[in-house]
Amino acid sequence: MEKELLLMMPGPVPIPERVRLAMSRQAINHRSAEFGAAYADCVRVLKTAFGTTNDLVVISGSGTAGMEAAIANVARDKKIACLVNGKFGERLYKISQRYGQATEIKSEWGTPLNLDALRAQLEAGAQVVTLIHNETSVGIKNPAEEVGRLCRKHDALFLMDGITSIGGDTVEADKWGVDIAITGSQKCLAAPAGLAMVSVSSRACERMTKNPPFYLDLAAYRKSASGTPMETPYTPAVPLFLALREACLLIDEEGLPARIARHQKMAKAVQAAAKEWGLSLFPKIDALHNYSSTVTAMEYPAGVKDDDMRGIVKKMGIVIAGGQDHLKGKIFRIGSMGAVSAPEILATLAATQHALKKCGYTPKGCGVGAAAEVLG
Ligand SMILES: *Cc1c(COP(=O)(O)O)cnc(C)c1O
């Protein structure tokens, strides 16, 4: 029998049964009260997770569609300062290059952002700033509030990718001065892949380009969402919306504070395991940066091969992530986001501990035990 793999990677994540079942029904008209009610439920819960009262729209497309929508609508032909300390920061920079005059403010992956360089860019006239709040590729949490303060001071628009923080960690888009915040369905929300959610401040609306893209025209999404029933401009991925609605209702039922506390505890448990094993966490943090609360990246000990280690973990039915680009073979990442909790974390850490041993590394102590202390 083909067994389901437990996905403990930073997206996609396991989807609760209620969410999956919501996709298995007969087609419905997307211009109907029924669809409008589902969309409204999503938006109501998502606004709390974003920490915003701004307009929020859902786009059929993965998280990257949300990133491109943000840049293409408000940053076209503008001076864009892109903060980069990992793969996804780089992606926002690449998108920015397609639409405006982008400058990369580059730090080594997994190291603190250079906020002095950001100040200099803002003083030199940067009109838009891009940030990854939780840089999934390296497991670092970047100082969104501080970046927001600098943007406000210089009247620049603040675009924040919260794709692996929103719904799993504290996000206060309005308090932090975020003009456009973005998330995706298959990360902390524990919904199927394929939807992007974007919140838009009134400041951002006032500064929209007169030359927006067609499919990703945020003004069109806002207009369709403001009617009764709520709609999208073009046919949406209806089954995914119905699943997202269930995922949002689950968030509502758990309560956002409890959900965030659960994520923080899981991340602490994985960090405790790494420490007990004698493995270094990959990010270099400082007073403004922190370890991610949704994905933990740790360095491979000398001699342990990525393919072998993760191969053994996978044989036990669990998928964890390796490093991307130049970090391939150097780090591995354990996602702890969405609907998972102690059982999944403990199984993942037990399999990882076993795999490390099989690959010739002798962990200093029992990481599984240390994690159980945190979770118990
Ligand atoms: C996963 C992820 C994305 C990209 O999302 P896709 O759904 O793969 O397009 C963007 N930013 C961050 C921080 C992510 O973790």
Side-chain angles (χ1 to χ4, degrees), residues 69-338:
I71 303 284
N73 280 274
V74 302
R76 192 187 275 282
D77 301 328
K78 295 204 172 107
K79 287 187 177 170
I80 315 165
C82 303
L83 290 159
V84 178
N85 60 352
K87 171 99 179 164
F88 293 103
E90 214 166 65
R91 184 174 299 178
L92 266 181
Y93 171 57
K94 283 182 183 162
I95 298 169
S96 298
Q97 284 179 306
R98 300 262 178 126
Y99 292 95
Q101 303 160 48
T103 302
E104 182 181 21
I105 302 175
K106 193 179 165 74
S107 303
E108 284 291 310
W109 283 24
T111 69
L113 296 169
N114 186 346
L115 296 186
D116 287 334
L118 174 62
R119 276 185 205 95
Q121 283 295 322
L122 286 164
E123 274 156 24
Q127 298 154 290
V128 179
V129 173
T130 71
L131 172 77
I132 308 293
H133 180 214
N134 188 77
E135 180 48 86
T136 318
S137 60
V138 292
I140 198 168
K141 183 153 50 177
N142 288 320
E145 191 166 9
E146 189 62 27
V147 171
R149 212 176 329 219
L150 292 172
C151 290
R152 275 297 147 106
K153 191 171 160 204
H154 295 272
D155 194 35
L157 288 178
F158 178 19
L159 274 46
M160 188 188 83
D161 169 332
I163 296 185
T164 48
S165 58
I166 290 170
D169 201 356
T170 304
V171 173
E172 295 282 357
D174 290 355
K175 214 170 105 198
W176 300 346
V178 181
D179 290 292
I180 299 192
I182 307 145
T183 197
S185 49
Q186 81 277 27
K187 308 280 175 93
C188 298
L189 305 176
L195 295 176
M197 305 87 195
V198 180
S199 71
V200 192
S201 73
S202 51
R203 247 159 50 104
C205 290
E206 286 159 16
R207 297 180 197 186
M208 294 264 180
T209 175
K210 300 207 161 33
N211 188 18
F214 190 86
Y215 192 78
L216 296 177
D217 181 351
L218 285 177
Y221 278 86
R222 285 180 61 237
K223 186 159 180 278
S224 298
S226 70
T228 311
M230 277 184 86
E231 290 180 5
T232 55
Y234 327 109
T235 310
V238 175
L240 299 184
F241 272 71
L242 297 177
L244 179 66
R245 188 238 297 253
E246 285 307 316
C248 285
L249 294 180
L250 284 173
I251 292 175
D252 215 17
E253 286 163 25
E254 179 175 16
L256 201 59
R259 189 179 181 89
I260 291 168
R262 173 168 59 79
H263 278 80
Q264 286 171 348
K265 205 171 190 182
M266 290 192 292
K268 285 268 177 277
V270 179
Q271 291 163 17
K275 184 159 182 245
E276 195 62 26
W277 290 332
L279 301 188
S280 304
L281 297 178
F282 181 70
K284 305 284 173 281
I285 62 169
D286 62 9
L288 286 176
H289 296 71
N290 207 342
Y291 297 116
S292 166
S293 302
T294 59
V295 55
T296 302
M298 52 192 109
E299 290 174 20
Y300 271 114
V304 175
K305 288 212 174 63
D306 177 54
D307 286 349
D308 295 346
M309 202 286 272
R310 290 193 300 119
I312 293 167
V313 173
K314 191 170 170 195
K315 263 200 173 151
M316 285 183 277
I318 300 171
V319 182
I320 59 175
Q324 292 164 292
D325 296 355
H326 64 278
L327 293 178
K328 216 174 193 19
K330 300 209 162 64
I331 65 169
F332 63 95
R333 296 172 298 147
I334 296 178
S336 51
M337 59 181 75

